[in-house]
Amino acid sequence: MEGDLQRAVGRNLREYRLARGLSQEAFAEVVGVHRTYMGGLERGERNLTLKSVERIAERIAVDPLELMHIPPD
Amino acid sequence: MEGDLQRAVGRNLREYRLARGLSQEAFAEVVGVHRTYMGGLERGERNLTLKSVERIAERIAVDPLELMHIPPD
């Protein structure tokens, strides 16, 4: 469904952050985005480009395809 | 590397098209993009959004993650 990928990215980023006990603000710095952007990103509201996904994935050293992988419930 | 994903999409689309013996023009209609856009897409020059990838993948009934998968040489 359209939007599934960006929602998967958001969910995976949130899981990654919580697993490390980081605040959204601290994580925004890690990822290299503005802190006000981070919330929308985690909620899957940002229509990311492939290059943005690659940049974010590189910052947290994960595979970009893994970052878009829809996690099982 | 930044741009790898869009190049993978381009390469996979091209392979898909050639395997079916379609012209770029005919394939552009299948994919739902303008024929002048198709060349740049296949050359991996378009910085696609995740939603665009989903739309294209749906048109040709493939998994969007498969479409971004970097094929081995």
Side-chain angles (χ1 to χ4, degrees):
Chain A
M1 199 180 107
E2 209 170 292
D4 280 351
L5 291 177
Q6 68 189 55
R7 281 187 290 275
V9 171
R11 197 166 148 186
N12 289 328
L13 284 176
R14 186 175 159 81
E15 265 182 30
Y16 180 101
R17 175 175 68 79
L18 293 177
R20 282 152 188 85
L22 294 170
S23 67
Q24 276 197 352
E25 191 162 354
F27 192 47
E29 271 196 48
V30 174
V31 172
V33 300
H34 195 270
R35 63 183 172 73
T36 56
Y37 188 84
M38 199 67 221
L41 195 54
E42 285 194 1
R43 287 191 301 277
E45 293 167 2
R46 304 289 177 181
N47 188 20
L48 297 163
T49 65
L50 298 185
K51 284 189 178 175
S52 300
V53 172
E54 286 172 320
R55 269 193 294 269
I56 293 168
E58 194 172 9
R59 293 294 288 254
I60 59 171
V62 301
D63 186 286
L65 290 177
E66 272 307 304
L67 197 54
M68 290 182 276
H69 188 78
I70 296 159
D73 279 310
Chain B
M1 199 180 106
E2 209 169 291
D4 280 351
L5 291 177
Q6 68 190 54
R7 281 187 289 274
V9 171
R11 197 166 148 186
N12 289 328
L13 284 177
R14 187 176 158 80
E15 266 182 29
Y16 180 101
R17 176 176 68 78
L18 293 176
R20 282 152 187 84
L22 294 169
S23 66
Q24 275 197 352
E25 191 163 354
F27 192 47
E29 272 196 46
V30 173
V31 172
V33 301
H34 195 271
R35 63 182 171 73
T36 56
Y37 188 84
M38 198 67 222
L41 195 54
E42 284 194 1
R43 287 191 301 277
E45 293 167 4
R46 304 289 176 180
N47 187 21
L48 296 163
T49 65
L50 297 185
K51 284 190 178 176
S52 300
V53 172
E54 286 173 319
R55 269 193 293 270
I56 292 168
E58 194 172 9
R59 293 294 290 254
I60 59 171
V62 301
D63 186 287
L65 290 176
E66 272 307 303
L67 197 55
M68 290 182 276
H69 189 79
I70 295 159
D73 277 310

